[in-house]
């Protein structure tokens, strides 16, 4: 069962504690039970950061043939695990040390849970007896209690014979139903425990059917179809749950058979190519306001969709009718009434709908689809002028126009995207052509996912990665360019450098010597950061320089960072969500 490596590790002083396994070993230790339990469940990669008590676990995992990707900060290892989970439907593994390492990984675990990405944060922990009496152990913390409210499930394993159960429960909890983050607490003592080798092997569990299909009830399918059929202005809204579900062919068939226009949320872009004739992306406000029946497929009516209410949805014209496909029944009616809930996995639900849609199904009315097409053409023409312009310094649009063309030429490349303006502009300018090629700030709008997601995308898919980063956003994970260089990953980071958070022109309102809170060092050379570790740095002040640098990076596959100089006056406060900034009542007067 386990790949026992006789040669194992060189007996250097540094890894003297990590002894290799032998074929005829009579006992197996906790380290190897953890590794075997993961491998038995087809988990072949660990993202992490070594230290007491898990350093030997990283060495032994590598010796046993697992890929171990070491990061410079646990948050980025955690983000990598989350992205790997989203891309592969297998829980991504993040491995950290106790208290501070655990806390560094926790943000990523909570973010993964919020995004419905499956991951498992495995952290070593200190001695239970000392921690529970608060006697001051090395890196003392009750990690299980802290993790619990922030993830989908949390478990602790105290005995080596329970490692198999612990890992199996973590995998099933991460993948089944609505996917999410799971915490697995492994105290230091556990790794050193031994079991009889045969008993150890028997204690491991291969999880059968970890994400069971959930078939929707026939009456719920009929209710949804009946409502959809009455629609005069139907709309399909695809979310990242639809991208995660890997029901790409079924979703495409649903759109094309019904002729219903669809709107992808940012990470659902590419499920159908953004250039598809039924894409309503370039007419977003129009379709949200005007649609009469909206079918949500793996998308929540949260803040990103204005909670299904208000001006965005033209509520003054009366309520919309919603059909909602989701695996989590409690999501239904979370913000507005859902007329036709369809509970199940997206593949099964969409297949069930397709079974009820035959050749006689009336295509979406032509005045509705025609009106959308007209708006799309108009909006695209407007955008084209901005993309083609060559202002100096570059605008967000002129720089993104270059990236848009590169992605068109390499539709298999994965785009990672964070920032405010950099995010908002890229989302609408850079068309995606294939499913699960866009990873971004997700449900929280969190900064810091950039390099972790980029590393995972490159490691998991082997495809080129283009990370489109605001200069502030990049700073959250920038040190991981060393990780990118160390593993020689085909990642090209493009830093949209406008000298600050949102823009670089704010002034100190107190008039002192400090710059304003949103302003960075002017004219910073982020490209030098990549050069420091042997990667390629490019300083691009024009669209042509950006184009050349990007094309070269994709062709060579070498780690590259392009410092793209953007007009520092160009950004808007918080990008397109300016209105979410609280405005003091006193200032409104
Ligand atoms: P977006 O931000 O793109 O709008 P959300 O993250 O808000 O998307 O919504 C994703 C939804 O998809 C969640 O409510 C989640 O329960 C659901 N989901 C995730 N995977 C599946 C699946 N395999 N089948 C059905 N629903 C799923
Ligand atoms: N911290 C975290 C973890 N997430 C956040 N979203 C923020 C802070 C607040 N924030 C945003 O929402 S966007 C952003 C911050 C700090 C950075 C915007 O600046 P940028 O992008 O340079 O990355 P633009 O393109 O210049 O706007």
């Amino acid at each position: 069962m386990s790949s026992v490596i006789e040669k194992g590790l060189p007996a250097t002083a540094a890894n003297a504690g990590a002894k290799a396994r032998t074929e005829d070993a009579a006992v197996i230790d906790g380290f190897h039970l953890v590794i075997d339990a993961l491998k038995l469940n087809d988990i072949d990669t660990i993202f992490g950061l070594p230290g007491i008590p898990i350093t030997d676990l990283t060495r032994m995992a590598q010796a046993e043939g697992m890929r171990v990707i070491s990061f410079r900060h646990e948050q980025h290892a955690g983000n990598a695990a989350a992205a790997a989970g989203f891309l592969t439907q297998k829980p991504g593994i993040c491995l950290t040390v106790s208290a501070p390492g655990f806390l560094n990984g926790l943000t990523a675990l909570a973010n993964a849970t919020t995004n419905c990405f499956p991951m498992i944060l495995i952290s070593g922990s200190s001695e239970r007896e000392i921690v529970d009496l608060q006697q001051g152990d090395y890196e003392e913390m009750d990690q299980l209690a802290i993790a619990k409210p922030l993830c989908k499930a949390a478990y602790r394993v105290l005995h080596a014979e329970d490692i198999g159960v612990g890992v199996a429960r973590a995998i099933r909890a991460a993948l089944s139903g609505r996917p999410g983050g799971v915490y697995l607490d492994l105290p230091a003592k556990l790794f050193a425990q031994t079991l009889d080798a045969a008993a150890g092997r028997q204690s491991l569990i291969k999880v059968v059917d970890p994400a069971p299909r959930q078939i929707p009830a026939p009456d719920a399918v009929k209710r949804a179809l009946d409502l959809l059929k009455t629609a005069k202005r139907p709309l399909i809204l695809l979310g990242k749950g639809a991208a995660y579900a890997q029901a790409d062919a079924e979703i495409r068939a649903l759109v094309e058979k019904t002729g219903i226009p669809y709107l992808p949320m940012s990470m659902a872009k590419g499920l159908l190519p953004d250039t598809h004739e039924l894409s309503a992306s370039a007419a977003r406000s129009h379709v949200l306001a005007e649609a009469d029946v909206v079918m949500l497929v793996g998308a929540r009516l949260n803040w990103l969709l204005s909670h299904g209410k208000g001006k965005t949805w033209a509520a003054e014209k009366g309520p919309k009718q919603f059909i909602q496909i989701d695996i989590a029944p409690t999501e239904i009616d979370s913000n507005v009434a859902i007329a036709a809930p369809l509970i199940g996995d997206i593949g099964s639900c969409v297949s069930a709908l397709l079974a009820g849609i035959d050749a006689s199904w009336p295509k979406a009315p032509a005045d509705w689809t025609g009106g959308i097409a007209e708006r799309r053409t108009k909006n695209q023409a407007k955008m084209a002028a901005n993309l083609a312009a060559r202002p100096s310094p570059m605008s967000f649009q002129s720089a993104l126009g270059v990236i848009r063309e590169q992605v068109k030429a390499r539709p298999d490349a994965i785009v990672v995207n964070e920032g405010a303006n950099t995010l908002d502009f890229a989302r609408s300018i850079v068309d995606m052509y294939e499913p699960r090629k866009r990873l971004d700030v997700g449900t929280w709008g969190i900064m810091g996912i950039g390099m972790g997601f980029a590393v995972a995308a490159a490691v998991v898919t082997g495809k080129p990665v283009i990370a489109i980063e605001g200069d502030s956003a990049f700073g959250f994970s920038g040190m991981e360019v060393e990780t990118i260089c160390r593993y020689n990953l085909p990642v090209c980071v493009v830093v949209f450098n406008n000298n600050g958070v949102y823009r670089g022109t704010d002034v100190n309102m107190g008039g002192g010597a400090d710059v304003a809170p949103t302003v960075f060092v002017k004219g910073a050379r982020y490209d030098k950061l990549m050069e420091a570790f042997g990667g390629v740095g490019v300083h691009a002040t024009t669209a042509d320089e950006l184009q050349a640098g990007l094309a070269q990076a994709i062709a060579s596959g070498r780690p590259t960072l392009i410092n793209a100089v953007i007009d520092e006056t160009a950004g808007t406060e918080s990008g397109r969500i300016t209105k979410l900034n609280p405005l003091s009542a006193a200032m409104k007067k």
Side-chain angles (χ1 to χ4, degrees):
M1 175 202 58
S2 60
S3 58
V4 177
I5 298 177
E6 180 77 48
K7 302 192 285 304
L9 303 157
T12 62
N15 60 15
K19 292 277 181 328
R21 252 197 296 191
T22 54
E23 287 287 356
D24 54 357
V27 293
I28 183 165
D29 60 23
F31 289 112
H32 287 95
L33 284 165
V34 172
I35 294 163
D36 286 354
L38 293 172
K39 286 175 67 178
L40 180 64
N41 286 288
D42 303 319
I43 292 172
D44 55 13
T45 306
I46 291 174
F47 303 95
L49 201 160
I52 296 170
I54 51 96
T55 312
D56 276 346
L57 185 62
T58 62
R59 292 190 182 114
M60 292 174 184
Q62 201 171 42
E64 297 285 332
M66 293 188 83
R67 189 103 200 256
V68 180
I69 306 291
S70 262
F71 282 76
R72 304 301 295 260
H73 187 288
E74 291 88 350
Q75 187 175 126
H76 314 309
N79 285 328
F86 170 74
L87 290 170
T88 64
Q89 293 187 327
K90 281 195 284 190
I93 304 294
C94 174
L95 181 63
T96 81
V97 302
S98 359
F102 155 78
L103 286 173
N104 285 345
L106 198 55
T107 304
L109 185 71
N111 188 44
T113 307
T114 301
N115 278 340
C116 314
F117 296 169
M119 75 168 272
I120 302 172
L121 174 67
I122 301 180
S123 295
S125 58
S126 303
E127 298 313 327
R128 286 254 42 85
E129 295 80 352
I130 304 179
V131 172
D132 288 349
L133 277 171
Q134 297 178 36
Q135 293 175 308
D137 203 3
Y138 168 71
E139 297 194 345
E140 174 181 296
M141 177 174 277
D142 187 359
Q143 295 165 198
L144 186 71
I146 290 165
K148 230 172 226 173
L150 297 171
C151 59
K152 198 176 160 193
Y155 306 104
R156 176 187 291 135
V157 182
L158 291 177
H159 305 293
E161 58 265 37
D162 293 330
I163 287 174
V165 169
V167 170
R169 299 211 74 191
I171 292 172
R172 194 177 288 283
L175 289 177
S176 60
R178 171 182 277 177
V182 176
Y183 175 61
L184 189 61
D185 192 90
L186 303 183
K189 267 188 191 166
L190 179 77
F191 297 112
Q193 292 175 22
T194 54
L195 285 186
D196 168 75
R201 269 196 295 278
Q202 275 168 18
S203 72
L204 301 184
I205 294 175
K206 181 158 173 74
V207 181
V208 176
D209 197 11
R213 292 177 63 201
Q214 296 192 25
I215 315 291
D219 58 329
V221 176
K222 182 172 181 311
R223 190 189 296 121
L225 284 171
D226 287 348
L227 177 55
L228 195 60
K229 212 169 207 168
T230 65
K232 303 221 164 21
R233 297 180 305 283
L235 176 68
I236 293 175
L237 227 157
L238 303 173
K240 59 182 171 302
Y244 173 77
Q246 297 194 16
D248 309 339
E250 291 89 340
I251 288 169
R252 188 173 185 135
L254 178 71
V255 169
E256 292 182 343
K257 276 193 174 168
T258 57
I260 298 178
Y262 70 95
L263 193 60
M265 299 301 285
S266 65
M267 283 182 59
K269 276 164 71 76
L271 262 175
L272 290 90
D274 279 332
T275 47
H276 195 283
E277 59 175 3
L278 287 168
S279 168
S281 288
R284 186 177 193 271
S285 0
H286 172 70
V287 292
L288 291 182
E290 297 301 324
D292 60 351
V293 176
V294 179
M295 174 147 63
L296 300 159
V297 185
R300 287 169 283 188
L301 280 176
N302 55 18
W303 70 280
L304 287 158
L305 285 168
S306 308
H307 304 282
K309 303 177 204 171
K311 222 171 103 203
T312 307
W313 294 88
E316 71 281 2
K317 293 187 191 167
K320 313 250 180 231
Q321 303 258 60
F322 286 99
I323 300 165
Q324 183 163 19
I325 301 181
D326 207 292
I327 203 152
T330 50
E331 187 56 41
I332 306 304
D333 302 331
S334 62
N335 285 272
V336 296
I338 302 297
L342 198 51
I343 303 307
D345 68 279
I346 286 166
S348 299
C349 290
V350 176
S351 297
L353 290 174
L354 283 170
I357 295 171
D358 58 17
S360 70
W361 184 271
K363 289 260 174 190
D367 57 339
W368 171 236
T369 50
I372 294 167
E374 218 171 277
R375 273 188 168 72
R376 191 174 57 223
T377 315
K378 223 165 57 196
N379 287 343
Q380 282 172 345
K382 235 193 290 175
M383 187 199 275
N386 287 331
L387 300 185
R390 287 291 171 262
S392 177
M394 287 186 279
S395 61
F396 284 101
Q397 292 96 328
S398 69
L400 286 164
V402 168
I403 298 178
R404 170 187 162 101
E405 290 309 309
Q406 185 61 59
V407 173
K408 192 174 179 182
R410 277 304 296 266
D412 60 331
I414 294 183
V415 168
V416 173
N417 191 195
E418 60 179 336
N421 297 277
T422 305
L423 176 89
D424 292 335
F425 281 114
R427 190 175 49 220
S428 55
I429 291 173
V430 180
D431 285 339
M432 306 304 299
Y433 301 87
E434 295 178 9
R436 294 170 296 283
K437 297 296 185 190
R438 193 189 143 86
L439 303 170
D440 67 26
V441 299
T443 301
W444 266 348
I446 192 171
M447 298 299 114
I449 49 84
M451 298 306 101
F453 278 15
V455 168
V459 165
V460 163
T461 70
K463 301 286 185 191
V465 177
I466 303 171
I468 309 173
E469 301 274 314
D471 50 345
S472 164
F474 173 71
F476 287 75
S477 65
M479 192 64 209
E480 301 297 345
V481 296
E482 190 276 331
T483 309
I484 291 168
C485 289
R486 187 164 15 108
Y487 294 101
N488 194 25
L489 298 173
V491 174
C492 179
V493 183
V494 185
V495 176
F496 276 56
N497 188 356
N498 63 353
N499 296 338
V501 179
Y502 312 134
R503 61 178 170 261
T505 49
D506 283 6
V507 292
N508 179 339
M509 290 169 76
D514 290 349
V515 297
T518 55
V519 169
F520 295 157
V521 165
K522 304 259 183 200
R525 292 289 301 273
Y526 292 97
D527 47 315
K528 304 271 185 202
L529 209 55
M530 188 58 108
E531 286 176 354
F533 303 106
V536 178
V538 177
H539 181 55
T541 58
T542 66
D544 286 345
E545 287 167 356
L546 172 57
Q547 199 281 329
L550 186 56
Q552 177 65 27
I554 301 291
S556 71
R558 290 192 59 195
T560 302
L561 190 151
I562 304 176
N563 182 52
V565 179
I566 305 292
D567 181 356
E568 67 170 2
T569 66
T572 308
E573 178 97 0
S574 308
R576 277 180 212 158
I577 51 174
T578 310
K579 65 174 190 305
L580 297 185
N581 285 296
L583 189 59
S584 146
M587 283 165 74
K588 276 187 201 159
K589 285 183 189 142

